[in-house]
Amino acid sequence: MVGTRAEVEVGPVGHGGFCVARLDGRAVFVRHSLPGERVVIEVTEGSTGDTFWRADAVEVLSASADRVPAPCSYAGPDACGGCDFQHVSLVRQRSLKGDVVAEQLRRLAGLEVEVSVEQVPGDDQGLRWRTRQRYVERPDGGKAMRKHRSHELVPVEECLLEAHHGPRHAALGVDFEVADGGFWQVHPGAPDALVEAVLAYLDPRPGESALDLYAGVGLFARFLHERVGETGRVVAVEGDRRASRLSLTNAPGIEASAGDVGEILATSYDHAFDLVVLDPPREGAKRRVVEQVVARSPRAVAYVACDPAALARDVAIFAERGYGLVSLRAFDLFPMTHHVECVALLAPR
């Protein structure tokens, strides 16, 4: 019940920026805590009939060795909700994220995978990496951020995650054109890291054909086309029409289709492709798209995922259709938050 305080032993990390504790048999999702700590919690969401409650750790009775002072004065209980792990050392943040990815694959896909989350160049000790930042404007003209799962505002001077420079639309030395408000990876090191991982997994060869699904402005399509050459073929499918048009500018020589990925796959490009890149939104590709991908009989699929649960669900669908998880890399593209980016390689078993 909201406002209730209790002393608990903190258990494992959960997917969403919290750790799991138990109170009178009920699961409690505790923010601002670490596994193994003993803390006083204050319930922030939940009522008597709920199966779980949400809470903040408002007092640390026995601290983890991985606990550090938060670099931002706005981080903590009843404060800005933008960061989940400012109280955690960077090394431990990455191991927690790896634990979450592994747990989702175990629970949703039945796989035992050891996951190591890699540091990516471009931030300053986990800060100053966000090349796009939104503040809420206060009535007095000042800036604010919102509390966790709330519309309540916290006045701030600045966010320490905000980079000192704006977006730089370049990857592996190539400039990309992106529409105002269009999607581009927010961590400056992300495009290079993801492209290199995808290319290493797929190993595109001259003359091969590739499908780039949820292709955006052609980040992966550009480098796929360079590898398969003029005798090969790259088709980029993207839901946003502006981004799809720009992919033709950014990746000369490719083909592009704009529209719902599932609909396009159901009606077009029904022949075999050697390679597929999947970079779906947070909810994942889902069954319809996965089954359409498998129907093209690719020798390799590179799946770029921003949500471990969605990745695990889709990996399970791939497994039903005879494609197994061969390898996985995870990247810390969102330090101080619970988010983690993965690149998975799937191939016929």
Side-chain angles (χ1 to χ4, degrees):
M1 301 202 290
V2 175
T4 297
R5 289 200 173 199
E7 188 176 316
V8 299
E9 189 85 24
V10 180
V13 66
H15 178 31
F18 55 81
C19 294
V20 182
R22 292 280 169 181
L23 183 61
D24 299 328
R26 178 185 282 107
V28 184
F29 300 162
V30 185
R31 284 172 57 82
H32 313 293
S33 64
L34 274 161
E37 291 188 328
R38 190 150 194 87
V39 301
V40 175
I41 62 167
E42 181 174 316
V43 177
T44 56
E45 292 182 42
S47 57
T48 304
D50 292 339
T51 56
F52 68 89
W53 290 347
R54 298 183 185 273
D56 287 338
V58 294
E59 184 181 350
V60 180
L61 305 176
S62 177
S64 165
D66 298 305
R67 179 175 283 273
V68 298
C72 177
S73 61
Y74 306 115
D78 199 36
C80 173
C83 290
D84 309 295
F85 291 145
Q86 289 220 9
H87 62 289
V88 186
S89 71
L90 279 172
V91 171
R92 183 62 169 137
Q93 286 184 36
R94 295 181 189 120
S95 72
L96 290 174
K97 294 177 186 186
D99 290 346
V100 168
V101 176
E103 193 273 336
Q104 295 298 308
L105 288 169
R106 182 184 308 114
R107 185 170 64 86
L108 298 175
L111 298 174
E112 292 292 336
V113 180
E114 187 173 330
V115 180
S116 176
V117 177
E118 303 174 33
Q119 180 184 3
V120 176
D123 57 66
D124 181 8
Q125 296 297 306
L127 306 174
R128 301 301 184 192
W129 54 266
R130 183 173 281 282
T131 56
R132 294 190 308 277
Q133 176 68 288
R134 290 183 180 178
Y135 295 97
V136 180
E137 185 175 350
R138 305 196 322 253
D140 63 4
K143 295 184 291 190
M145 302 290 281
R146 289 190 172 90
K147 293 184 179 181
H148 181 63
R149 295 174 59 85
S150 170
H151 294 292
E152 191 175 347
L153 300 183
V154 177
V156 301
E157 292 296 322
E158 67 167 345
C159 171
L160 294 184
L161 300 189
E162 185 176 12
H164 291 303
H165 56 80
R168 295 173 179 172
H169 303 136
L172 301 183
V174 176
D175 290 330
F176 284 76
E177 186 176 348
V178 179
D180 289 342
F183 176 79
W184 187 257
Q185 290 287 343
V186 70
H187 191 292
D192 283 9
L194 296 177
V195 169
E196 288 174 344
V198 165
L199 292 180
Y201 272 166
L202 294 182
D203 186 24
R205 302 159 191 168
E208 288 193 311
S209 58
L211 263 178
D212 183 6
L213 305 179
Y214 311 95
V217 297
L219 173 63
F220 298 115
R222 165 66 184 247
F223 298 102
L224 286 170
H225 186 260
E226 286 184 359
R227 294 290 188 92
V228 303
E230 295 304 320
T231 60
R233 184 188 189 195
V234 176
V235 176
V237 182
E238 164 58 36
D240 184 275
R241 294 188 179 277
R242 294 184 307 166
S244 182
R245 287 194 298 270
L246 286 172
S247 71
L248 292 170
T249 300
N250 292 324
I254 71 165
E255 303 169 45
S257 289
D260 179 83
V261 170
E263 291 291 334
I264 289 174
L265 291 182
T267 57
S268 307
Y269 311 114
D270 57 356
H271 53 278
F273 279 83
D274 299 296
L275 307 170
V276 175
V277 177
L278 269 172
D279 187 8
R282 189 163 299 279
E283 61 266 24
K286 300 184 178 178
R287 181 172 296 275
R288 184 186 188 194
V289 170
V290 170
E291 292 182 343
Q292 292 283 357
V293 167
V294 171
R296 272 71 181 175
S297 303
R299 68 167 176 83
V301 177
Y303 189 127
V304 182
C306 59
D307 183 83
L311 170 65
R313 287 192 293 266
D314 285 347
V315 165
I317 300 170
F318 270 107
E320 293 175 10
R321 296 295 183 262
Y323 276 68
L325 178 64
V326 176
S327 185
L328 181 141
R329 294 177 67 185
F331 300 94
D332 194 13
L333 302 185
F334 310 92
M336 304 296 172
T337 79
H338 74 274
H339 298 291
V340 59
E341 195 90 2
C342 296
V343 180
L345 172 62
L346 298 123
R349 290 189 285 199

